Amino acid sequence: DAGITQSPRHKVTETGTPVTLRCHQTENHRYMYWYRQDPGHGLRLIHYSYGVKDTDKGEVSDGYSVSRSKTEDFLLTLESATSSQTSVYFCAISESRRDRDETQYFGPGTRLLVL
Amino acid sequence: KNQVEQSPQSLIILEGKNCTLQCNYTVSPFSNLRWYKQDTGRGPVSLTIMTFSENTKSNGRYTATLDADTKQSSLHITASQLSDSASYICVVSALANTDKLIFGTGTRLQVFP
């Protein structure tokens, strides 16, 4: 998984509780991304980062926030989890912007269940 | 609307057989097209990336083709193995000022002995 770890790998939580997912990379790549994957949908971008403290919204950012205080760490926070946020969350990294002709590497994923 | 459609949704083949997966897209203007393999419970792994000027790219037993005129791509798997059982995802990049990738929903391939 190209030097990318995600924690936790599995999480069960209750509606209304805050949840933070962590992505850690050892590749020193500039760009980091958070996606969610749901049945019947392609991977959808939540937020991404193009450097320390530089982040931007993706296509499904409502209800999520992110932070990047170090090159290697990118945190995804669900301020108040809802059942619609039950999903598998993937972190990804790339050296340049993801739509360029370079590979994007994905982490192993975090399975989140919101009851 | 930028879209990526893959077919079939699922496919079952016997070990040793060949198969071809299809990807049609309406993304414009086009920058590049990627194929990813995603094993169950794991993140996607890149197989190939093709730009507008490339019409074939191979990675071992995987060969991707691209017809930018008809906006179609295919992924051909030769002499399938049990380890090829996975989802295969087609992803298209739009040439734009903003970071933009459009993901297909994938083809689920099962290889049986």
Side-chain angles (χ1 to χ4, degrees):
Chain A
D1 293 318
I4 308 169
T5 56
Q6 293 184 231
S7 59
R9 294 293 314 278
H10 303 270
K11 175 99 178 154
V12 180
T13 191
E14 294 186 345
T15 297
T17 60
V19 176
T20 296
L21 308 183
R22 179 180 183 242
C23 177
H24 179 79
Q25 61 147 328
T26 58
E27 306 296 324
N28 201 36
H29 283 3
R30 177 183 174 189
Y31 288 79
M32 298 186 75
Y33 307 86
W34 277 107
Y35 290 90
R36 60 179 291 173
Q37 186 175 42
D38 304 289
H41 292 273
L43 282 152
R44 292 181 290 176
L45 181 67
I46 304 171
H47 281 282
Y48 68 100
S49 169
Y50 47 97
V52 173
K53 295 190 182 347
D54 292 323
T55 64
D56 206 349
K57 296 180 180 180
E59 59 186 300
V60 290
S61 59
D62 288 348
Y64 302 94
S65 63
V66 290
S67 65
R68 190 167 178 200
S69 59
K70 296 185 291 185
T71 298
E72 58 265 34
D73 290 325
F74 192 32
L75 303 181
L76 176 71
T77 297
L78 291 65
E79 300 292 344
S80 178
T82 68
S83 58
S84 64
Q85 293 176 313
T86 292
S87 187
V88 181
Y89 291 86
F90 287 100
C91 174
I93 65 173
S94 60
E95 288 188 274
S96 60
R97 217 173 75 177
R98 65 179 184 143
D99 58 328
R100 297 299 184 236
D101 302 337
E102 288 190 23
T103 297
Q104 193 176 40
Y105 300 95
F106 286 83
T110 293
R111 289 185 174 275
L112 176 66
L113 174 61
V114 183
L115 300 174
Chain B
K1 181 180 177 182
N2 289 328
Q3 285 187 317
V4 175
E5 295 186 353
Q6 295 187 242
S7 62
Q9 284 190 330
S10 62
L11 182 62
I12 297 175
I13 63 173
L14 294 177
E15 187 178 16
K17 298 298 186 182
N18 303 335
C19 68
T20 300
L21 314 180
Q22 299 291 340
C23 174
N24 295 337
Y25 61 93
T26 57
V27 177
S28 183
F30 172 87
S31 178
N32 60 63
L33 184 146
R34 309 154 190 231
W35 283 94
Y36 282 89
K37 177 187 179 188
Q38 185 175 20
D39 293 317
T40 300
R42 304 196 66 168
V45 174
S46 179
L47 294 175
T48 62
I49 299 176
M50 288 184 292
T51 61
F52 182 87
S53 60
E54 297 173 299
N55 54 26
T56 302
K57 185 163 277 190
S58 292
N59 179 354
R61 294 179 297 101
Y62 301 100
T63 299
T65 64
L66 173 64
D67 186 333
D69 291 332
T70 62
K71 298 185 178 179
Q72 296 179 325
S73 176
S74 65
L75 181 69
H76 186 75
I77 304 175
T78 303
S80 62
Q81 300 177 358
L82 299 179
S83 60
D84 293 330
S85 295
S87 289
Y88 292 84
I89 302 171
C90 177
V91 186
V92 180
S93 170
L95 188 64
N97 291 330
T98 58
D99 174 313
K100 187 69 174 179
L101 288 181
I102 300 94
F103 287 79
T105 55
T107 292
R108 174 75 177 154
L109 174 66
Q110 297 179 74
V111 181
F112 283 89

